[in-house]
Amino acid sequence: RPGIGETSGGDREFFHALALAGIVCGVSGLFVEVHECPEKALSDPKTSVDLKSLKNLLKDVKLLFTAFRGKR
């Protein structure tokens, strides 16, 4: 979904898969908006993720990063 100038466009349901795809493709970093209660976030509530989702993402990112790029 395109943004309307006041908030970002997008859906949080896709963030995990897209972030992992980026890791596999070689991105150098991820930008994730995190909020303890995303629905109440003042900035981009539709694209913010909760802490539990971030924890799961980071676990999977580390696994893929290690598998595709080796240990550093």
Side-chain angles (χ1 to χ4, degrees):
R1 261 183 257 164
I4 57 173
E6 295 178 12
T7 60
S8 297
D11 292 299
R12 83 172 63 96
E13 69 183 283
F14 302 116
F15 96 96
H16 197 108
L18 290 173
L20 296 182
I23 295 298
V24 172
C25 290
V27 298
S28 297
L30 298 171
F31 178 84
V32 181
E33 292 189 73
V34 181
H35 193 278
E36 59 190 14
C37 184
E39 295 78 20
K40 294 183 179 181
L42 297 178
S43 174
D44 302 326
K46 292 182 180 180
T47 57
S48 296
V49 298
D50 62 22
L51 293 171
K52 182 179 179 186
S53 296
L54 178 65
K55 182 178 179 180
N56 292 336
L57 174 69
L58 294 178
K59 180 185 70 160
D60 291 343
V61 162
K62 182 177 179 182
L63 185 74
L64 280 180
F65 189 89
T66 301
F68 283 86
R69 301 188 199 175
K71 293 184 179 182
R72 292 188 179 193

